[in-house]
Amino acid sequence: MKKKGPNFIEQIIDGDISRGFKKDNLRFRFPPEPNGYLHIGHLKAICLNFNLGEKYGAPVNLRFDDTNPEKEAKEYVDAIKNDILWLGYKWNKECYASDYFEQLYNWALVLIEKDLAYIDSQSSEDIANQKGTPTKDGKPSPYRDRNKEESLKIFKEMHNGDHKQGEHVLRAKINMSSPNMLMRDPVIYRAMDSNHHRTGDSWKIYPMYDWTHGESDYIEQVSHSLCTLEFEPHRELYDWFLDSISPLKGIRPKQREFSRLNLSYTITSKRNLAKLVEEGVVDGWDDPRMPTISGLRNRGYTPESLKSFALTVGISKRENVIDVSLLEFCVRTHLNEEAPRAMAVLDPLKISIINYNENKEESVNFDINPQKPGQGKREILFSKNIYIEREDFQENPEEGFFRLSPGEEVRLKNAYIIKAKNIIKNEEGQITEVECEYDEKSKSGSNTEESNRKVKATIHWVSAETAVEATINIYDRLFKVPEPGKSQDLLSEVNENSLEIKSAKVEPYLASAKDGDHFQFQRSGYFVRTNNKKTLEFNKTVGLRDGWKK
């Protein structure tokens, strides 16, 4: 593979260094809000910041933007940390915006003293209506010229909890005619009487994101603050807030933006993901159908495959939608190299080999992983009674069907050639068993003329004598439409058949699998052992080939 050159973010950093910025002063951060689990949309930002840290030997902070206690919780903090560690990254400092509440409050007092902020006592609806439009100037608040002594008094009272939520807000005094709507006197503090997951009820006012973000970067001496493109209009406000607390000492952070990760058939809105959880569409944030990092882990995705996906997508300034098949390609490629092979029949049909001696005992050999010959082979018991996939037999074969049917032959993988002779059905007319004959001299690898005889199909199997029961969860896309979330009714876009549960017969080797162990089930795809301690259970990660276009 041709090595990629530096992306445009790396070019910016290299340019700064060439102009005299000290490499030792580089510092990056990943700043999630703990109001939900990390999802595939966060993956690019995680990999970008931590990979930059590795490339330049620079520290990377993990900072929680915890300024909205109504939606945030310690559960989300813990999940975020676990996901980042699972991906293989380590942060330098664990930080919280709430660590800086006192400093942010004191800086807000400075803004009022400088006449750069004022208390607005209008309703949120009135403030919104006065904002104007991109082509029409906003209307100044009637409180815009409130004297700073009164604003200071009310703001301190808000801090003490003397005013109810919605009575007053603190707004920056910038420019109600700015073409950038964000510069039209944005709200920077509001009163909230909510319990915070770290500070409890000690704070009655909470800062807004834009006020918190740049100032937190400055406190931590972050050199390059990297955001997705929707924050590009925020950069002007980011710089205005830094200017407002000048003179600055040390490093002045620089915000730069890159395109977010959009994936087909996937939503990355935490609000919509939370709705799926709340409505019981999925079994929690870590459901294997969810696009969260935890969900993908439970689905069987590996850290290596997710990081490979992020690297393949790359860093750019152009928004686009990535086909979900690329994500599957990355995990399929990794698991093809790493996953041991195993025999599992997901929809069992019993086969009796009528001319096979029931007292005969023999084994056949399988490569543990053909991609890694050094891992050797494994023996699997062959017996008179076996199971094959029900779809591998047709009583009245359709055109182009080359697997088992009356009078036709197939090869059992690494074993014998069999021919269907008789069909046994139950009272409902369902096929319950197929009686076959085998060619005793056709065993694979026996170097006889019969063993090299060609038949049109090879199918997998498990011995009925040693087969173990297992539950298999087969996942399909969670949404029926390529761009979910566009309509007014998200739930109408959900795929009702996103999960199919099968009772399978698997070889006994799989009974010793541990939570998180990956396997390639012959001809079926890649699967991962779940953490279900009561039963043997596997989740399907991905098929052996791309099935999305179908």
Side-chain angles (χ1 to χ4, degrees):
M1 180 183 294
K2 185 178 180 181
K3 186 177 181 181
K4 292 183 178 181
N7 60 54
F8 83 95
I9 295 291
E10 293 169 335
Q11 291 172 4
I12 290 171
I13 296 169
D14 292 340
D16 290 340
I17 294 172
S18 69
R19 288 185 291 272
F21 187 90
K22 292 183 180 179
K23 189 176 178 182
D24 290 345
N25 288 333
L26 289 174
R27 181 181 289 272
F28 308 99
R29 89 287 173 269
F30 175 62
E33 181 181 1
N35 62 346
Y37 282 46
L38 294 178
H39 53 65
I40 190 70
H42 292 111
L43 182 65
K44 184 191 285 191
I46 296 170
C47 294
L48 172 61
N49 283 285
F50 283 98
N51 288 346
L52 287 173
E54 292 177 2
K55 176 176 180 176
Y56 292 99
V60 182
N61 289 355
L62 172 60
R63 182 173 74 238
F64 292 96
D65 174 29
D66 56 344
T67 60
N68 188 0
E70 292 180 336
K71 295 184 177 180
E72 297 160 2
K74 186 177 183 299
E75 172 196 351
Y76 303 135
V77 170
D78 294 340
I80 288 168
K81 291 195 290 185
N82 288 338
D83 286 345
I84 294 173
L85 291 173
W86 176 75
L87 285 169
Y89 294 121
K90 293 183 179 180
W91 52 89
N92 178 252
K93 292 181 180 179
E94 183 177 321
C95 308
Y96 296 81
S98 55
D99 293 339
Y100 315 133
F101 279 174
E102 191 69 36
Q103 177 65 77
L104 293 169
Y105 170 69
N106 290 331
W107 274 332
L109 294 175
V110 171
L111 257 62
I112 300 173
E113 290 279 8
K114 289 182 174 182
D115 200 27
L116 295 177
Y118 62 95
I119 292 292
D120 196 333
S121 303
Q122 299 181 98
S123 67
S124 58
E125 291 80 8
D126 288 341
I127 292 174
N129 290 334
Q130 292 166 0
K131 281 279 189 176
T133 68
T135 58
K136 181 181 177 182
D137 289 351
K139 181 180 178 181
S141 165
Y143 297 97
R144 197 171 198 268
D145 294 324
R146 188 174 228 158
N147 68 66
K148 62 183 181 183
E149 288 75 17
E150 185 178 2
S151 286
L152 280 169
K153 176 179 178 295
I154 296 174
F155 188 53
K156 290 177 180 178
E157 290 172 349
M158 291 169 62
H159 173 266
N160 295 332
D162 297 337
H163 294 283
K164 295 180 181 178
Q165 184 168 330
E167 284 187 329
H168 309 285
V169 294
L170 181 67
R171 295 177 69 180
K173 187 186 289 188
I174 307 178
N175 181 2
M176 291 301 292
S177 299
S178 173
N180 184 346
M181 298 287 289
L182 294 170
M183 300 297 286
R184 296 184 182 181
D185 291 13
V187 173
I188 55 178
Y189 266 97
R190 75 283 202 204
M192 294 180 72
D193 189 15
S194 298
N195 190 273
H196 190 279
H197 69 99
R198 294 186 73 243
T199 62
D201 60 0
S202 59
W203 283 89
K204 306 302 180 183
I205 55 172
Y206 288 90
M208 303 297 285
Y209 169 83
D210 281 314
W211 172 243
T212 308
H213 185 205
E215 270 54 20
S216 297
D217 286 341
Y218 171 60
I219 291 170
E220 295 175 19
Q221 288 291 277
V222 169
S223 60
H224 294 77
S225 179
L226 307 176
C227 309
T228 46
L229 274 179
E230 65 263 34
F231 290 99
E232 189 169 27
H234 295 247
R235 192 201 296 185
E236 184 179 3
L237 184 55
Y238 182 98
D239 289 333
W240 189 91
F241 280 140
L242 288 175
D243 289 340
S244 72
I245 62 170
S246 293
L248 302 178
K249 298 179 181 179
I251 303 300
R252 180 189 174 103
K254 173 189 289 189
Q255 177 179 307
R256 292 296 180 265
E257 307 83 20
F258 59 95
S259 63
R260 64 184 296 168
L261 178 56
N262 300 304
L263 201 62
S264 65
Y265 292 95
T266 307
I267 56 169
T268 54
S269 158
K270 283 186 184 177
R271 177 178 57 82
N272 282 332
L273 292 176
K275 185 175 184 179
L276 295 175
V277 175
E278 291 160 4
E279 295 287 339
V281 175
V282 294
D283 297 325
W285 286 89
D286 60 353
D287 186 296
R289 291 166 291 181
M290 288 282 272
T292 57
I293 303 297
S294 296
L296 290 167
R297 177 170 67 246
N298 288 338
R299 180 78 169 257
Y301 279 77
T302 61
E304 294 84 356
S305 63
L306 293 180
K307 289 191 282 190
S308 173
F309 173 67
L311 181 64
T312 304
V313 170
I315 304 297
S316 70
K317 293 206 72 166
R318 183 171 58 87
E319 292 280 17
N320 58 356
V321 177
I322 305 299
D323 195 304
V324 71
S325 61
L326 177 60
L327 176 63
E328 291 193 344
F329 170 81
C330 290
V331 71
R332 189 182 293 116
T333 299
H334 183 242
L335 292 178
N336 180 53
E337 294 291 329
E338 300 297 327
R341 277 42 172 176
M343 298 279 250
V345 175
L346 309 188
D347 187 11
L349 173 63
K350 186 178 180 182
I351 299 292
S352 299
I353 305 175
I354 53 180
N355 62 333
Y356 191 91
N357 188 334
E358 62 183 39
N359 296 318
K360 184 177 181 180
E361 290 186 0
E362 65 176 316
S363 299
V364 297
N365 289 325
F366 279 82
D367 291 322
I368 294 175
N369 186 341
Q371 303 298 317
K372 295 186 175 182
Q375 292 187 0
K377 296 181 180 292
R378 210 163 40 77
E379 288 191 345
I380 299 179
L381 178 70
F382 186 80
S383 62
K384 180 181 182 67
N385 299 305
I386 61 173
Y387 293 108
I388 67 169
E389 294 287 356
R390 187 169 294 275
E391 66 177 20
D392 284 340
F393 177 81
Q394 287 189 5
E395 181 179 10
N396 301 299
E398 60 194 32
E399 185 177 355
F401 183 81
F402 297 118
R403 283 163 279 174
L404 193 62
S405 59
E408 297 297 325
E409 293 182 319
V410 296
R411 177 174 289 282
L412 300 174
K413 187 170 178 60
N414 286 35
Y416 296 98
I417 294 173
I418 60 172
K419 178 187 290 187
K421 305 296 288 186
N422 303 307
I423 299 171
I424 300 173
K425 299 181 179 181
N426 61 18
E427 293 179 354
E428 289 76 33
Q430 298 170 326
I431 299 174
T432 58
E433 185 176 340
V434 177
E435 294 181 334
C436 297
E437 290 182 347
Y438 86 117
D439 182 346
E440 185 178 7
K441 297 180 180 179
S442 66
K443 187 175 182 181
S444 296
S446 58
N447 294 321
T448 64
E449 183 176 342
E450 290 84 353
S451 71
N452 294 320
R453 183 158 58 88
K454 302 296 182 185
V455 291
K456 290 183 177 180
T458 299
I459 62 176
H460 65 285
W461 52 275
V462 293
S463 167
E465 272 70 15
T466 58
V468 176
E469 295 278 349
T471 299
I472 309 293
N473 300 315
I474 307 292
Y475 297 101
D476 196 358
R477 64 189 79 172
L478 185 55
F479 291 98
K480 297 179 287 189
V481 296
E483 296 186 57
K486 299 286 186 181
S487 72
Q488 297 297 315
D489 185 7
L490 177 70
L491 299 185
S492 69
E493 300 174 339
V494 170
N495 176 14
E496 306 87 355
N497 302 309
S498 60
L499 171 61
E500 181 183 4
I501 301 175
K502 290 180 174 288
S503 296
K505 302 285 189 180
V506 303
E507 59 166 299
Y509 162 69
L510 291 171
S512 61
K514 298 181 176 61
D515 175 24
D517 284 352
H518 300 271
F519 301 92
Q520 183 196 103
F521 289 178
Q522 299 283 351
R523 298 175 62 226
S524 298
Y526 296 96
F527 294 75
V528 64
R529 172 73 159 94
T530 73
N531 60 3
N532 190 329
K533 301 295 188 288
K534 295 181 180 179
T535 61
L536 184 62
E537 182 177 279
F538 295 88
N539 290 337
K540 184 174 182 179
T541 306
V542 66
L544 293 177
R545 57 188 60 85
D546 180 14
W548 286 78
K549 291 180 175 58
K550 183 171 61 176

